[in-house]
Amino acid sequence: MADDTDADGGLDISPPVPAAVQDAEPPEPEDDGSAPRAGDEDPGPDKAPEQRPEPDEREEDDRGYDDLRRVHQLVNNNFYGVVDAAGAAFGFGPASSPGLAPGTIEPEEADRALRYYLPPRPCFDEALGRLRADGLVVLTGQDGCGRGAGSLALLRDILGEQARLRSLSPANALAGLAASRDLKPGLGYVILDYVGELPDQAVQAYEIGRLSEELHRKGSYLVITAGDTTRRRLALRDRCVPWQPPDPVELFEHCREKLPPSGLTPDVEQELLERVGEQRRPADVVAAAVALCRDGAEKALDTLRDRYRERVQEWFRDQPSADDLLPLAALAFLEGVPERTFEKECAALAAHVRNWEQSGETPVAEPDVEARTPSGGAVAQQSRARWKERVVGLVTTEHRPGPGRDAVRSERRLVFTSSRVRELVIAELHDLYGYELWYPLRQWLGELALRGDLGTRTEVARGVALLARYALVEVDENLLQMWSEGITSQRVTAALTLQFMCDVEHLAPQALNIVLSWTDNSGQGRAVTAAMALTGRLGSLYRLDAFNGLWFLAQRGERVAFSARRSLVLLLQTAEQDPERVLFTLRYVRTVIARTAPRSRERSIALRTALQLLEATRLEVPEPVTAALLRTVPDSARQLGSLWADVLHSGNRSRAVSALCRTLVQLRDDPSVTGAVRELGEAMRKAMSGRQWAALCHHLSIALKHPDYAIPGAHRLAQVLLGSLRGRAPAESRRSAASLMSTAPVPSSPGGRSK
């Protein structure tokens, strides 16, 4: 999915403008290319001495970002591969449906989504008529009923199969859409899983009317998908069409017509059709038809029977005792932690339940006879064996090493037999049990978020994200809001929960909406949590919203601005394997710098952000990200060259030169990067004046005499960098470059070894 860019390579960004910040100094003036001053690192615009944050706050935030970095490293290295990694977070999960991530929807993407599409009647015809008449329509209904595919089918019915389609962010304010540059003539637009604007931006009926008129004027169309509650919004009520899935048996037969034939006996065909008729999600019907074609009738029946659901429901139908129920409930939020940790936390959950029951409320479940035995008998019960016998088919054990440990240090961990079992257990807990279980369970989860280690809190976040599928309001009000303004461990748990929520398509817009609501007028703690949450999967999925939100936060007080910059760096670090995301990140910062006024506070902030990107190291190894990008990401040299040129022409010059030297040192033994380094030098030269270029040559020649950088290979690359346009450089520049090339390298010291 592509992102729109301006002709000059910048992004079409419209970051929100924050209210005036009172804790900021006047911006530091930029230099004119002369020699750097002593201590020329930019102190940052937010460092008003009288309002400096307490050191412990900065240290706490540092620890929070260290935790996030470690989780990203674990995901990159597949440490969580056995525990539901297919749906794990941070942009490495399964491919999203067309239109979920804002951007262009390519025709082949729409073709795949609509390959087996069967329009549901009569709602499809009603929506098509309303779209033709008004230019926009809102499809409302339950999640999984086919609204997303329906939106693409409606637009292609009107605009043709080769129509240009574009997905807009669910956080877009409809009131401002008509006046924005986002609307282009003759395009089809979708907003999937629209959740509405923030309270102070509520869309009005007359604004929707203006949007309809603008769409008509440009010959464009907009389809919005949303939940049933949207029909209660007065501004959109007259534009809504309740959406229903097609008849499942008709859809199944429609799919079979498009697939190679499969021979079926009458009995098997009857059972298949009976099972198909019970389905409510079109995606499940299509999956069964494809399984029938590829793997035969038995596999198709397995797909429809959902054996895991049957097992989980059967287990709960037996009304398990507290001794059986509480460990399963605990495992739903602590899957994969070491067994000894699990048992300790399970005992803590039982204590919370006992305290709740002793308060006079209804007990969670009647204990069985064995549970009433004295404590001495309880020790002899062989509780591990007893409980595992009762969860056969749902839970198993595996031996796995902890993060950073070898296989010899592995230990036993309890895991579900399938990632789907975990989700189904949480669904049954939510459907069958009320306050008497969930009140102590929430207290226990809060305690884990407060004091648990990172592995424990990561699994808590994953479990709470699963719970949000069934109880979003409860999760938001009783857990996320409290954690978001708590201490570092709680804020990291909240941020991870919101990122894991993005693995479910209809929850991703809700997660974005929650985070954006924390970015303004919600206190420093929540603002820092929002910055943390905008990394990873959330930042990957909603790139422009994430960057605009972080740029807004970067203009607030020092503590919040520091967190925003750290998050921007983390977004670049996690994008290393995704060239499109890398270039998006670099283009965004370039565009922000270009759109700020010289010597303004905003420009100082943007330059400081660019500097931190250039200084960033990779997640897995302590080497510059810039070196990895020059090796592996085409066109990154041009983007990096522009950023380096901007930062070198500022009070951050010495740090920028050091970052450039570290990059050259890292690349010195790789002949394949010569072309990229040459392109980097050309991009820097084109963005700098003759005086600035001469100053760079001078300061780089001095820096390369430092023991850490005085390495022959680094000098050779510096010659490529500075000599790339030597023939067109002014005389002063040529003399500086020649001086650098003739400088005898200082013998390598221990500090100059390969890093």
Side-chain angles (χ1 to χ4, degrees):
M1 187 166 293
D3 295 288
D4 285 344
T5 59
D6 293 335
D8 61 357
L11 295 173
D12 183 13
I13 60 173
S14 301
V17 180
V21 181
Q22 298 180 357
D23 59 346
E25 291 181 344
E28 182 182 46
E30 301 174 42
D31 63 47
D32 58 359
S34 57
R37 301 179 301 276
D40 65 349
E41 288 80 8
D42 183 4
D46 294 340
K47 290 191 176 180
E50 68 277 9
Q51 295 191 24
R52 286 181 64 93
E54 294 297 325
D56 59 340
E57 285 185 345
R58 173 62 64 84
E59 292 171 3
E60 285 290 313
D61 293 342
D62 283 343
R63 280 194 287 272
Y65 275 94
D66 288 343
D67 282 352
L68 285 178
R69 183 184 176 102
R70 286 166 59 196
V71 173
H72 283 292
Q73 287 175 313
L74 292 174
V75 174
N76 281 351
N77 294 325
N78 296 319
F79 277 114
Y80 287 96
V82 182
V83 187
D84 194 19
F90 315 116
F92 299 97
S96 303
S97 297
L100 180 62
T104 300
I105 304 174
E106 301 297 341
E108 52 270 21
E109 291 183 87
D111 289 341
R112 285 193 298 269
L114 300 176
R115 181 179 179 186
Y116 304 108
Y117 189 72
L118 178 66
R121 311 290 181 183
C123 59
F124 186 90
D125 296 329
E126 180 185 353
L128 187 62
R130 188 159 296 181
L131 184 60
R132 292 186 188 277
D134 299 339
L136 68 90
V137 68
V138 183
L139 311 182
T140 63
Q142 297 297 316
D143 295 319
C145 69
R147 298 171 311 191
S151 66
L152 302 181
L154 287 167
L155 291 171
R156 294 184 76 168
D157 194 291
I158 291 179
L159 296 171
E161 291 190 358
Q162 296 302 312
R164 294 182 299 159
L165 305 182
R166 181 161 180 80
S167 173
L168 303 179
S169 168
N172 275 9
L174 293 180
L177 189 57
S180 75
R181 293 185 297 168
D182 288 331
L183 287 182
K184 308 294 182 184
L187 263 65
Y189 295 95
V190 295
I191 299 179
L192 299 185
D193 297 308
Y194 174 70
V195 293
E197 289 83 20
L198 301 180
D200 58 342
Q201 298 174 322
V203 65
Q204 303 297 322
Y206 77 91
E207 293 166 335
I208 293 297
R210 286 181 54 212
L211 176 57
S212 176
E213 292 173 2
E214 184 67 12
L215 288 164
H216 268 305
R217 189 178 70 82
K218 292 186 174 180
S220 298
Y221 298 88
L222 169 65
V223 181
I224 302 170
T225 71
D228 287 325
T229 56
T230 301
R231 281 183 289 176
R232 295 198 291 270
R233 295 184 182 141
L234 295 179
L236 293 172
R237 185 177 58 188
D238 295 336
R239 317 280 178 171
C240 292
V241 173
W243 199 254
Q244 298 293 331
D247 178 87
V249 175
E250 290 183 10
L251 177 58
F252 187 72
E253 296 295 351
H254 174 74
C255 293
R256 291 183 66 187
E257 292 175 2
K258 292 181 172 291
L259 291 164
S262 301
L264 294 174
T265 65
D267 290 344
V268 171
E269 185 170 20
Q270 181 179 354
E271 184 180 359
L272 262 176
L273 294 179
E274 288 175 357
R275 291 282 186 175
V276 165
E278 299 169 356
Q279 305 304 310
R280 294 294 176 265
R281 288 166 37 93
D284 295 336
V285 177
V286 172
V290 173
L292 173 64
C293 172
R294 292 180 179 173
D295 305 309
E298 193 59 34
K299 185 65 175 179
L301 283 170
D302 284 344
T303 302
L304 295 169
R305 286 174 185 144
D306 197 349
R307 295 187 186 277
Y308 289 123
R309 181 183 294 277
E310 292 176 355
R311 290 177 187 172
V312 171
Q313 290 179 341
E314 181 181 358
W315 193 87
F316 278 97
R317 273 197 298 269
D318 291 340
Q319 297 186 355
S321 68
D323 280 356
D324 293 333
L325 173 67
L326 294 183
L328 194 68
L331 189 62
F333 296 94
L334 289 179
E335 181 184 18
V337 302
E339 189 171 34
R340 56 195 171 91
T341 303
F342 170 75
E343 290 179 336
K344 180 184 71 172
E345 302 303 350
C346 192
L349 173 59
H352 279 289
V353 171
R354 282 196 304 272
N355 293 338
W356 173 243
E357 291 175 349
Q358 289 170 3
S359 68
E361 300 294 338
T362 306
V364 172
E366 285 297 329
D368 56 19
V369 176
E370 295 182 27
R372 296 194 186 103
T373 58
S375 58
V379 172
Q381 285 180 17
Q382 297 183 346
S383 58
R384 287 183 177 176
R386 172 183 172 276
W387 183 67
K388 289 170 188 174
E389 287 175 359
R390 300 199 180 189
V391 290
V392 171
L394 300 182
V395 178
T396 186
T397 57
E398 294 179 353
H399 280 79
R400 288 193 231 145
R405 297 184 181 275
D406 57 35
V408 177
R409 299 278 293 175
S410 65
E411 57 184 319
R412 194 162 63 179
R413 300 163 189 263
L414 290 171
V415 296
F416 289 105
T417 52
S418 165
S419 59
R420 180 153 171 73
V421 172
R422 185 178 189 178
E423 175 191 348
L424 292 168
V425 166
I426 289 179
E428 291 295 310
L429 289 171
H430 177 260
D431 287 344
L432 299 177
Y433 296 89
Y435 197 66
E436 68 277 0
L437 172 63
W438 283 105
Y439 178 75
L441 193 56
R442 284 199 304 269
Q443 287 184 312
W444 175 72
L445 290 171
E447 187 176 300
L448 292 177
L450 181 68
R451 63 171 180 79
D453 60 30
L454 180 59
T456 296
R457 287 184 281 120
T458 301
E459 288 306 316
V460 166
R462 201 187 302 273
V464 173
L466 290 173
L467 177 61
R469 303 185 186 193
Y470 311 100
L472 175 62
V473 175
E474 180 180 337
V475 165
D476 183 20
E477 294 182 355
N478 294 328
L479 297 175
L480 292 179
Q481 290 189 26
M482 179 180 67
W483 295 347
S484 66
E485 55 184 0
I487 66 172
T488 296
S489 59
Q490 293 171 304
R491 287 187 277 111
V492 171
T493 308
L496 292 175
T497 299
L498 288 159
Q499 298 205 37
F500 286 129
M501 284 170 59
C502 291
D503 295 335
V504 182
E505 293 188 356
H506 75 271
L507 284 182
Q510 299 283 0
L512 177 64
N513 206 43
I514 290 171
V515 171
L516 294 182
S517 71
W518 291 348
T519 58
D520 193 23
N521 296 323
S522 294
Q524 280 193 352
R526 280 191 179 150
V528 171
T529 307
M532 291 177 170
L534 286 172
T535 62
R537 173 70 165 158
L538 193 60
S540 172
L541 192 59
Y542 299 113
R543 299 175 191 175
L544 192 55
D545 292 297
F547 278 86
N548 283 343
L550 290 172
W551 172 239
F552 173 78
L553 292 173
Q555 298 174 76
R556 290 184 53 178
E558 181 182 7
R559 181 188 177 197
V560 176
F562 173 81
S563 297
R565 293 193 297 269
R566 288 285 295 268
S567 291
L568 287 166
V569 170
L570 200 50
L571 281 171
L572 180 64
Q573 291 170 319
T574 56
E576 184 183 328
Q577 305 301 322
D578 186 346
E580 185 182 346
R581 284 177 57 204
V582 167
L583 297 178
F584 184 95
T585 303
L586 300 178
R587 286 200 306 268
Y588 185 95
V589 179
R590 280 188 59 196
T591 305
V592 166
I593 294 174
R595 293 186 178 183
T596 55
R599 301 180 181 275
S600 66
R601 176 177 178 273
E602 290 76 15
R603 187 173 183 83
S604 179
I605 294 170
L607 289 171
R608 192 175 186 188
T609 301
L611 175 65
Q612 289 190 238
L613 294 179
L614 296 174
E615 291 180 323
T617 59
R618 301 175 64 189
L619 282 178
E620 292 82 6
V621 290
E623 66 180 45
V625 168
T626 49
L629 300 185
L630 288 171
R631 283 195 195 101
T632 60
V633 180
D635 199 40
S636 63
R638 185 170 65 91
Q639 308 294 338
L640 289 170
S642 176
L643 288 181
W644 247 306
D646 286 328
V647 178
L648 285 164
H649 182 46
S650 72
N652 303 296
R653 184 188 301 110
S654 67
R655 288 172 60 183
V657 169
S658 295
L660 184 58
C661 289
R662 286 193 294 272
T663 300
L664 295 175
V665 167
Q666 190 64 46
L667 297 174
R668 68 187 186 279
D669 296 326
D670 188 350
S672 67
V673 300
T674 302
V677 172
R678 181 176 291 108
E679 186 181 355
L680 176 68
E682 292 174 353
M684 293 169 63
R685 176 66 183 89
K686 290 177 181 177
M688 301 173 76
S689 67
R691 184 180 181 185
Q692 293 164 357
W693 181 253
L696 170 63
C697 296
H698 172 68
H699 296 309
L700 190 58
S701 66
I702 295 174
L704 285 172
K705 295 177 183 178
H706 188 279
D708 284 346
Y709 313 136
I711 303 172
H715 277 260
R716 286 193 294 271
L717 274 186
Q719 294 172 15
V720 173
L721 180 82
L722 298 179
S724 55
L725 291 179
R726 187 175 42 165
R728 284 184 282 170
E732 183 180 1
S733 173
R734 291 198 298 270
R735 287 194 299 271
S736 297
S739 173
L740 170 64
M741 295 175 195
S742 63
T743 301
V746 179
S748 177
S749 68
R753 291 196 302 266
S754 177
K755 297 184 179 180

